[in-house]
């Protein structure tokens, strides 16, 4: 078993603190997870969580404009953030002796962001997010795959039915009141986990955390996940869709609803995804790229989602001139083939997953992020030390059962992109 040093604390206002000291490194990672993501957005609010992530870097009562970045970079540090379906996280990595600066910056925007919120800042970041959507989704080959696929995989009313980026129409409609309501509901210490990882003194870190975060009041309480998380259990007929677009090559996506991250059966799905698509020895690469030569690249990934159902995504980009129907047929054949897996395939997939986890644990910033994740989703950051054991427990029988119950045609959506033909 891996042993990651980890101690847990909490403040009276509900802020959970995870400390993982590592005196072997001269840096410290500060990682703050808020338990809010796109699943918390109601009708007409798609993209609000992501827009708010941008707004959090626009200053707070004691930090002007772009000063969050300037102060950190001035001491040799870096900062960023990301929004996902189930969470939003903010993180810094900086020299250990400047830890107090990062804690003060995070506390100031958690407690005093609203006084600095202005219409000008909202319009500025609204334009940034809209341009991001255009560049990454609307004007990118295959860029809208997730918007299309989520609507196929998750039925109406499910909180994962829309992409994290949101729609241009909704982004255009947000007001300062929307942002203030969102902040008051979700950006509170009792809805957050603060993780410190690296070279720092735990006693001093706790003193600073109490000093800067302790005076921030808890939130109003009742927080909701928008929509119906149980909608995936209904008789939802997933379909196939073919899109003629400005893409260079045919590409086929297949997606299936699988158990959520907190379900023990998730690990069989995770291993199944690795058997299909991780590495050059995976089934998809060996079959579609090397043997049949119908695809130039392949991939498979399982999204570790927490609400109702997670998702396995499999894709293949065809070689020039490949028939879309043939590409889909061979891709589906490999998915169906998971109902019969060999022990060595499972062992290989588990070994590769172990290697990936160990690689993450070697980097203090990624270690901090994992600790925040396990504390937020499972209430147990110590789970980081036993995660590999859950992968090792996956058997060929478990993968075969998962494939038979969750990866069949009754639970499968197929999205195909084909190059646009000349008029």
């Amino acid at each position: 078993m891996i042993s990651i040093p980890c101690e847990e604390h909490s403040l009276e206002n509900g802020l959970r603190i995870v400390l993982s000291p590592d005196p072997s490194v001269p840096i410290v990672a500060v990682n703050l997870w808020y338990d809010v993501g796109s699943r918390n957005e109601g009708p007409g609010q798609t993209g609000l969580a992501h827009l708010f992530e941008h707004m959090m870097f626009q200053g707070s009562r004691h930090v002007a404009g772009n000063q969050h970045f300037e102060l950190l970079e001035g001491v040799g540090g870096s900062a960023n953030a990301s929004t996902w379906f189930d969470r939003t996280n903010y993180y810094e990595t900086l020299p250990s002796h400047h830890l107090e600066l990062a804690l003060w910056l995070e506390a100031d925007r958690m407690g005093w962001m609203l006084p600095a919120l202005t219409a000008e800042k909202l319009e500025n970041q609204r334009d940034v997010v809209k341009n991001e959507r255009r560049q990454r989704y609307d004007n990118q080959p295959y860029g809208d795959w997730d918007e299309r696929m989520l609507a196929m995989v998750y039925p109406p009313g499910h909180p994962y039915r829309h992409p994290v980026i949101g729609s241009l129409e909704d982004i255009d409609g947000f007001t300062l009141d929307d942002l203030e309501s969102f902040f008051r509901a979700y950006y509170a210490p009792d809805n957050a986990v603060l993780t410190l990882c690296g070279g720092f003194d735990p006693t001093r870190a706790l003193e600073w955390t109490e000093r800067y975060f302790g005076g921030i009041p808890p939130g109003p309480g009742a927080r909701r996940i928008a929509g119906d998380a149980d909608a995936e259990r209904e008789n939802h007929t997933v379909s196939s869709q073919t899109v003629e677009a400005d893409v260079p090559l045919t590409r086929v996506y297949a997606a299936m609803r699988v158990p959520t991250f907190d379900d023990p059966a998730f690990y069989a799905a995770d291993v199944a995804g690795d058997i299909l698509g991780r590495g050059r020895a995976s089934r998809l690469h060996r079959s579609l790229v090397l043997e049949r030569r119908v695809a130039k690249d392949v991939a498979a990934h399982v999204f570790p989602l927490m609400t109702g159902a997670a998702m396995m995504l499999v894709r293949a980009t065809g070689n020039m001139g490949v028939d879309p129907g043939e590409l889909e047929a061979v891709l589906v054949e490999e998915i169906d083939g998971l109902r019969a897996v060999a022990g060595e395939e499972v062992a290989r997939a588990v070994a590769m997953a172990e290697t990936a986890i160990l690689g993450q644990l070697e980097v203090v910033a990624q270690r901090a992020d994992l600790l925040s994740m396990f504390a937020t989703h499972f209430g147990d950051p110590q789970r980081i030390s036993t995660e590999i054991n859950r992968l090792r427990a996956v058997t060929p029988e478990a993968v075969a059962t998962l494939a038979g119950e969750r990866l069949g045609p009754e639970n499968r959506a197929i999205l195909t992109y084909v190059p646009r033909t000349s008029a």
Side-chain angles (χ1 to χ4, degrees):
M1 184 180 76
I2 301 169
S3 180
I4 301 296
C6 172
E7 56 184 75
E8 301 174 64
H9 303 270
S10 62
L11 301 184
E12 288 186 7
N13 59 15
L15 178 67
R16 290 170 289 170
I17 305 161
V18 180
L19 303 180
S20 183
D22 181 355
S24 70
V25 296
I27 60 174
V28 60
V30 178
N31 190 288
L32 184 61
W33 270 47
Y34 289 94
D35 192 5
V36 59
S38 62
R39 69 176 181 176
N40 301 95
E41 299 163 350
Q45 291 190 323
T46 67
L48 180 55
H50 176 247
L51 174 62
F52 204 88
E53 172 209 317
H54 283 250
M55 297 301 300
M56 285 284 278
F57 286 100
Q58 299 307 298
S60 47
R61 173 175 287 173
H62 307 103
V63 181
N66 202 42
Q67 202 173 14
H68 191 104
F69 289 111
E70 292 172 354
L71 289 172
L72 288 167
E73 291 173 0
V75 299
S78 62
N80 214 329
S82 68
T83 308
W84 187 235
F85 295 95
D86 296 326
R87 58 96 185 117
T88 308
N89 71 322
Y90 300 84
Y91 49 93
E92 295 90 9
T93 303
L94 70 167
S96 297
H97 57 285
H98 289 296
L99 170 60
E100 185 178 9
L101 171 64
L103 292 174
W104 173 72
L105 287 169
E106 287 294 358
D108 201 66
R109 60 183 176 181
M110 177 189 283
W112 297 276
M113 186 266 198
L114 288 183
L117 188 62
T118 67
E120 182 181 4
K121 291 177 180 178
L122 171 57
E123 291 309 315
N124 176 276
Q125 291 307 301
R126 192 200 311 273
D127 288 342
V128 170
V129 171
K130 287 166 64 178
N131 284 333
E132 180 182 344
R133 161 144 189 143
R134 294 185 186 104
Q135 291 172 8
R136 292 177 51 198
Y137 290 74
D138 301 335
N139 299 322
Q140 182 79 13
Y142 319 107
D144 61 352
W145 72 264
D146 63 338
E147 187 163 29
R148 294 178 181 275
M149 186 59 89
L150 290 170
M152 295 169 71
V153 170
Y154 294 102
H158 198 283
Y160 295 149
R161 188 172 168 83
H162 64 273
V164 174
I165 192 75
S167 73
L168 285 175
E169 181 182 4
D170 287 353
I171 296 168
D172 263 333
F174 292 133
T175 66
L176 287 176
D177 286 343
D178 293 328
L179 268 62
E180 180 175 345
S181 296
F182 192 80
F183 179 87
R184 293 191 185 283
Y186 299 106
Y187 277 76
D190 55 326
N191 198 46
V193 170
L194 173 68
T195 298
L196 308 182
C197 186
F200 66 92
D201 175 59
T203 301
R204 206 160 189 201
L206 274 177
E207 291 174 354
W208 287 331
T209 303
E210 175 67 51
R211 179 186 306 169
Y212 297 119
F213 288 89
I216 303 172
R223 300 179 177 98
R224 67 188 182 91
I225 295 175
D228 180 11
D230 292 328
E232 71 95 16
R233 298 193 181 100
E234 298 174 359
N235 294 324
H236 174 53
T237 303
V238 294
S239 58
S240 62
Q241 182 181 153
T242 298
V243 180
E244 188 177 283
D246 293 325
V247 297
L249 297 166
T250 293
R251 177 177 287 179
V252 176
Y253 292 87
M256 292 73 59
R257 296 189 298 271
V258 296
T260 50
F261 189 19
D262 57 348
D263 187 322
F266 170 85
Y267 294 90
D270 201 26
V271 170
D274 286 347
I275 291 172
L276 278 174
R278 178 176 286 206
R280 296 176 64 84
S282 67
R283 284 192 174 198
L284 290 175
H285 187 86
R286 189 175 64 249
S287 175
L288 276 65
V289 177
L290 299 179
E291 296 173 0
R292 307 188 196 213
R293 299 188 178 182
V294 296
K296 68 179 296 289
D297 63 59
V298 294
H301 180 66
V302 178
F303 292 74
L305 302 175
M306 295 291 293
T307 308
M311 180 175 74
M312 177 186 288
L313 182 76
V314 184
R315 69 162 173 82
T317 306
N319 285 323
M320 185 70 72
V322 71
D323 178 73
E326 179 186 5
L327 187 61
E328 176 185 334
V330 295
L331 184 69
V332 166
E333 181 181 330
E334 294 302 324
I335 296 172
D336 289 339
L338 286 173
R339 300 182 188 194
V341 294
E344 54 267 27
E345 286 185 291
V346 172
R348 170 193 163 276
V350 169
M352 293 187 73
E354 284 188 32
T355 301
I357 292 174
L358 292 173
Q360 290 177 294
L361 294 178
E362 288 179 350
V363 181
V364 290
Q366 295 181 32
R367 193 187 314 159
D369 195 55
L370 288 173
L371 286 164
S372 290
M373 177 186 73
F374 288 123
T376 301
H377 288 339
F378 298 93
D380 180 18
Q382 297 283 359
R383 188 180 172 103
I384 194 173
S385 297
T386 58
E387 189 69 354
I388 283 178
N389 295 342
R390 279 175 276 278
L391 285 165
R392 289 174 177 170
V394 175
T395 64
E397 292 76 18
V399 173
T401 298
L402 182 282
E405 293 179 352
R406 304 302 291 263
L407 306 186
E410 71 285 350
N411 187 42
R412 184 187 300 149
I414 300 290
L415 174 62
T416 303
Y417 286 86
V418 296
R420 193 185 305 278
T421 57
S422 301

